[in-house]
Amino acid sequence: MSTQVLVWSGWLGGAAIGAYVLFQLWLTNRPLGCSMGYHNACTLVSRRDETTRDDGWRLWFILGIPLGGFVAVLTSPGAEWQAQWTWGEWYERLLPDALWAKAALLTFGGFLMGFGARLAGGCPSGHTISGVSLLNVPSILASIGFFVGGLVTVQALFRLFV
């Protein structure tokens, strides 16, 4: 079964992200980023009251990410939504077959990403979308590191496991 994927054009998606970054900066005086929203979600689950009134909007931002994807599907002409548990052939080749092993590996990867975001002083979306647009030198360097690290890791994984 082949499915045709229809997406928003790149210029429209980029303009929408840029407009949102400017709107958020104007509204909250805070740059775009996801890692603190994840922190807020974790503090809610752990029942620790570390969120401040100023940080509560980030939780709504995190909840809006999947909602935005759903809206994109609904507004793309001819797009059809279908739930699935696969990320595609290449991921299936790299990830273990057992569901528990996939979950463990992806959870470990998530912890590494969270650690890296805290170590870098922000998440990749925050550094790359907001920091680079503001010509923030540490964000530019962090973004270069994210891309180079991702490219090297993917190439190493495919050479080792595929």
Side-chain angles (χ1 to χ4, degrees), residues 15-36:
I17 291 170
Y20 177 77
V21 167
L22 291 174
F23 175 72
Q24 179 177 315
L25 194 58
W26 172 78
L27 186 66
T28 65
N29 201 27
R30 303 271 180 156
L32 172 71
C34 295
S35 58
M36 283 305 294

Side-chain angles (χ1 to χ4, degrees), residues 82-93:
Q82 179 181 351
Q84 60 182 4
W85 293 99
T86 179
W87 289 345
E89 175 187 348
W90 290 104
Y91 283 100
E92 295 303 321
R93 286 185 184 184

Side-chain angles (χ1 to χ4, degrees), residues 4 8 12 15 23 40 43-44 47 50 61 70 72 77 79 85 92 101 131 139 143-144 149 159 162:
Q4 182 181 4
W8 288 15
L12 184 59
F23 175 72
N40 289 354
T43 56
L44 283 176
R47 298 182 181 194
E50 292 181 9
F61 174 73
F70 187 67
W85 293 99
E92 295 303 321
S139 290
S143 297
I144 291 169
R159 293 201 193 299
V162 177

Side-chain angles (χ1 to χ4, degrees), residues 6-9 12-13 16 63-82:
L6 298 172
V7 296
W8 288 15
S9 64
L12 184 59
L63 295 173
I65 291 173
L67 179 63
F70 187 67
V71 168
V73 167
L74 292 179
T75 59
S76 294
E80 182 179 318
W81 184 76
Q82 179 181 351

